[in-house]
Amino acid sequence: MRGVVFDGKEVRVVADLEVRDPGPGEVLVGIRAAGLCHSDLSVVDGTIPFPAPVVLGHEGAGVVEAVGPGVTHVGPGDHVALSTLANCGACADCDRGRPTMCRKAIGRPGRPFSRAGEPLFQFASNSSFAERTVVKAVQAVRIPADIPLTSAALMGCGVLTGVGAVLNRARVDLGETVVVIGTGGIGLNVIQGARIAGAGTIVAVDTNPAKEETARRFGATHFLGSADAVREVLPTGADHVFECVGHTGLVRTAIDLLDRHGQAVLLGMTAPTAEASFPPAAMFLDKAILGCRYGSSRPQRDIARYAELYRAGRLLLDELVTATYPVEEFARAVADAEQGKVARGVLTF
């Protein structure tokens, strides 16, 4: 089968991948669509350390082909969106409804794939850049069959992370003010999450003026080419600032833009050793800096919720998909993403 493999030096689209059958508590999914997320590229450039060789991809949707013993919530033929959380379901964090904190869901890559007899790692317990993948049952979330799979794929990462950061982590309230730094795939979902939450003012900040129309479509009330102008819109600062780029200088900017009792939410992925600085004295005005993993999501609950918001016309998914690419055109999809031509490019199988 076809898939996108990173061998530690280069990325190639191969046609001789194999994946094992699902075991107990596992699901075999035929992938139909997978979003190209910055995190996949971060594996390639080393920002996210990950063992190689590895099958990339972590934002996918498809159709269940087979289930292992003990799996009852999905069956062959069901449409599913895949999460990256292979959480155990039994630890203290899972029991408290915090699967993103499950230690068995962080940094434990399996190797269900092989190529010419050599085992390959699975990225983010998912590897959706393959025609088929095996995931834990908890990762497969059944979705209505009338949602296009090219759109549904994005619920597995970009939507969970962006919308979830607003609703689950920051808990943006009606009428509050929000600044979003960076309007890529994650930033756009933060914007629409703020709109869904009922934020009063939503300021999008991006250096690319071509992104204004899309940002406003998703819910931005203002669009600025620089964070320097935010105080002209919000003189006392914002209740919530989301940093969606992963730049240490912008972390400081996010903190500087906070009003009293404001909170900065860090979503952009920086290098593991990168450091940011800020004046601690500013924090005594009840300000907060929040980390956020995967939108503090509970995927089985949240993906189902987002699917219904989409069907009600409140959550935009189709509009996120700027372009689709056959998996063989992976290099073109990467080039378009790096040049800022797409909100989200989606690979298809």
Side-chain angles (χ1 to χ4, degrees), residues 277-322:
S277 62
F278 63 94
M283 308 307 292
F284 288 101
L285 292 171
D286 283 0
K287 298 180 182 180
I289 303 170
L290 304 181
C292 183
R293 180 174 189 246
Y294 206 42
S296 301
S297 297
R298 296 165 63 181
Q300 287 288 340
R301 178 199 67 175
D302 291 349
I303 289 177
R305 174 191 296 177
Y306 300 153
E308 290 310 310
L309 286 172
Y310 166 81
R311 297 174 87 191
R314 298 180 61 196
L315 182 79
L316 305 182
L317 291 179
D318 304 337
E319 294 83 354
L320 282 168
V321 182
T322 312

Side-chain angles (χ1 to χ4, degrees), residues 56-72:
L56 296 176
H58 67 286
E59 186 181 68
V63 180
V64 174
E65 295 189 358
V67 300
V71 178
T72 59

Side-chain angles (χ1 to χ4, degrees), residues 34-40 56-60 82-84 123-129 153 156-158 294 344:
L36 176 59
C37 176
H38 185 71
S39 294
D40 298 300
L56 296 176
H58 67 286
E59 186 181 68
L82 301 183
S83 87
T84 67
F123 180 52
S125 303
N126 189 305
S127 289
S128 56
F129 290 172
C157 179
Y294 206 42
R344 210 46 144 211

Side-chain angles (χ1 to χ4, degrees), residues 30-49:
I31 298 295
R32 300 292 186 269
L36 176 59
C37 176
H38 185 71
S39 294
D40 298 300
L41 304 182
S42 293
V43 173
V44 177
D45 67 22
T47 300
I48 297 178

Side-chain angles (χ1 to χ4, degrees), residues 77-161:
D78 283 343
H79 287 209
V80 292
L82 301 183
S83 87
T84 67
L85 291 182
N87 56 295
C88 72
C91 67
D93 283 307
C94 286
D95 191 51
R96 293 171 184 154
R98 303 188 305 201
T100 57
M101 295 296 101
C102 175
R103 284 171 170 78
K104 291 188 177 180
I106 301 174
R108 296 173 182 268
R111 294 197 286 184
F113 297 96
S114 62
R115 184 172 179 237
E118 178 187 13
L120 283 76
F121 287 100
Q122 184 174 38
F123 180 52
S125 303
N126 189 305
S127 289
S128 56
F129 290 172
E131 285 188 77
R132 296 178 187 85
T133 191
V134 169
V135 298
K136 288 188 65 172
V138 71
Q139 296 176 255
V141 183
R142 186 168 55 187
I143 57 173
D146 60 357
I147 300 179
L149 290 173
T150 49
S151 299
L154 306 187
M155 289 194 288
C157 179
V159 175
L160 275 179
T161 299

